[in-house]
Amino acid sequence: FWDFLILFFCLPVVIFNEITKKRLLGDVSCRIVPFMEVSSLGVTTFSLCALGIDRFHAATSPQASARPIEQCQSIIAKLAVIWVGSMTLSVPEILLWQLAQDTSPVSGMVTEYCTMKPSSNLPESVYSLVLTYQNARMWWYFGCYFCLPILFTVSCQLVTRRISGTEKKTECRGTKHSQCESHLNCTIIGLTIIYGLCTTPENVCNIVVAYMSPDMSKQTLDLLNLINQFFLFFKCSVTPILLLCLCRPLGQAFMDCCCCCCEGCSPDTSSEGCADSKLKTEMSSSIFFDKPRESPPPLLALGTPC
C-alpha cells in the first residue's frame, strides 16, 4: 500500500517538475515528497526486519508445524508500529526541504526546485536539531536504511538455515512443512535483494555528493537526484509483483480474486469458479499460515462389507 502511495503521489509530481520546471503543489510537495520517500525506506526496512524475526520464530518454535494462524489484531499492531515508527523518523524531512527559484542563464526562464535548507523561521532548538540531522543524514541513510535490513535479514537467514539443517538431520519436521518454510525464506531473500539493488545507487550518490559537491555542477546534482528517485519508483513497482510471484499462496489468492470477478459476468460458471477459487484459497492459506490440516472424519460403513 505504501508503494502504491509513492507511485500515485510522488511519481506524477517528479515527472511534472521535470517537464514544466514548475513544482506541482509548490512548497507542500517539496516537503511531502521527501517525507513519503524516506518513510517508504523505513517501512521496507522494518518490514524486512519483522519478517526475518517471524521466520526465526518459525524455525526455533518447538511445534512450528502446528503454529496457529496469527490474529488480525496482532498483525495490525505490528503494522502500526512499523508505519508510525517510519513516519516519526521521517519528520525531519518536512523541516529540512523548502522551495527555491532560479533563473536559467540560457533561456531566462524561472525554474522551481527543492533545496535542502532549513527555514530560518524555525525555533532555535528545532533549527539546531534539523541542522544536526542534515549533517548526519548521509550516514543515517546508509546505516539505518541500507545496512540494517540487509545485515538483519542475512543474520536471520543464516541462523534459520543452521537450525533447519540441524532439524533435518534429526527428522523432526515433515517434508511438506520444510518446503513451505524454505519457500517463504526465499521470498524474503528476493525482497531483500531487490531492495539492496535499488538503494545502492542512492547511497553511493549520497557519499559522492557529500565529498565532491563543490566540484559538481547543479545540473549533475539534479541528475543524480532524479536517478535516485526513479530507482525508488522502480523498487515500488517491482516489489509487489515480486511478492505475488514468489509467494505462491498470496499470488494464487490474487489470481483467484481476479478470476472470480471476471467470471462474475457469466452466470453459468460463476458459482463453480467461485467454489473452485475458494477451495484453492483455503488450500493455499493452510500452507502459508502453517496451519495443520485436520484429519478427515472416519467414513461410516454403508451397505455391504465390500
Side-chain angles (χ1 to χ4, degrees):
F1 181 70
W2 197 272
D3 292 337
F4 172 76
L5 291 179
I6 294 292
L7 296 175
F8 181 78
F9 182 78
C10 299
L11 182 59
V13 172
V14 174
I15 294 178
F16 182 85
N17 184 40
E18 290 300 318
I19 294 176
T20 64
K21 301 303 178 181
K22 298 291 182 181
R23 196 69 184 183
L24 189 65
L25 300 179
D27 188 66
V28 175
S29 65
C30 279
R31 300 175 185 272
I32 297 300
V33 170
F35 169 76
M36 294 185 64
E37 291 177 349
V38 177
S39 298
S40 173
L41 297 178
V43 169
T44 307
T45 295
F46 300 134
S47 297
L48 289 175
C49 293
L51 291 173
I53 294 174
D54 180 75
R55 291 297 91 204
F56 176 76
H57 284 318
T60 57
S61 178
Q63 295 180 349
S65 60
R67 293 175 64 199
I69 297 178
E70 189 173 3
Q71 296 183 356
C72 183
Q73 292 83 353
S74 176
I75 298 177
I76 293 177
K78 293 178 181 179
L79 291 177
V81 171
I82 292 173
W83 279 41
V84 172
S86 302
M87 290 187 289
T88 302
L89 293 176
S90 306
V91 168
E93 295 289 331
I94 299 178
L95 306 176
L96 183 61
W97 295 86
Q98 60 178 335
L99 184 65
Q101 294 181 347
D102 189 15
T103 303
S104 175
V106 179
S107 62
M109 184 178 60
V110 178
T111 60
E112 297 179 347
Y113 63 96
C114 297
T115 179
M116 191 184 300
K117 182 180 179 181
S119 176
S120 58
N121 298 327
L122 295 173
E124 184 177 356
S125 58
V126 178
Y127 184 80
S128 61
L129 289 176
V130 175
L131 281 180
T132 303
Y133 173 80
Q134 181 181 1
N135 295 329
R137 186 174 183 268
M138 176 192 67
W139 296 112
W140 170 253
Y141 256 63
F142 182 73
C144 182
Y145 299 135
F146 182 76
C147 295
L148 177 63
I150 294 178
L151 294 179
F152 198 93
T153 303
V154 171
S155 301
C156 289
Q157 289 298 320
L158 291 177
V159 175
T160 302
R161 288 182 179 274
R162 182 167 184 177
I163 295 176
S164 300
T166 304
E167 291 182 350
K168 283 181 181 179
K169 294 179 180 179
T170 56
E171 297 180 356
C172 291
R173 298 192 181 187
T175 305
K176 192 172 185 179
H177 179 75
S178 300
Q179 292 178 354
C180 179
E181 291 293 330
S182 177
H183 191 73
L184 293 176
N185 291 333
C186 292
T187 302
I188 299 176
I189 293 175
L191 295 175
T192 306
I193 291 174
I194 290 295
Y195 178 76
L197 292 177
C198 293
T199 54
T200 297
E202 181 174 6
N203 287 277
V204 173
C205 290
N206 288 338
I207 296 175
V208 171
V209 169
Y211 292 100
M212 300 180 59
S213 57
D215 302 331
M216 302 175 69
S217 62
K218 183 179 179 300
Q219 291 76 11
T220 304
L221 295 176
D222 293 340
L223 179 61
L224 292 177
N225 185 33
L226 183 64
I227 293 174
N228 295 336
Q229 285 185 318
F230 274 96
F231 266 107
L232 177 63
F233 298 146
F234 178 76
K235 178 193 76 72
C236 295
S237 304
V238 172
T239 299
I241 300 175
L242 180 69
L243 187 60
L244 291 175
C245 294
L246 291 181
C247 188
R248 295 177 183 175
L250 183 61
Q252 184 64 44
F254 180 78
M255 294 302 298
D256 290 340
C257 289
C258 295
C259 294
C260 186
C261 294
C262 295
E263 293 175 355
C265 300
S266 56
D268 297 335
T269 60
S270 60
S271 59
E272 182 180 356
C274 291
D276 185 35
S277 64
K278 182 179 180 182
L279 178 60
K280 291 179 180 179
T281 305
E282 290 178 353
M283 293 175 63
S284 61
S285 63
S286 64
I287 299 175
F288 181 74
F289 289 108
D290 304 331
K291 182 179 180 181
R293 294 197 176 190
E294 299 178 356
S295 58
L299 298 177
L300 298 177
L302 300 177
T304 62
C306 296

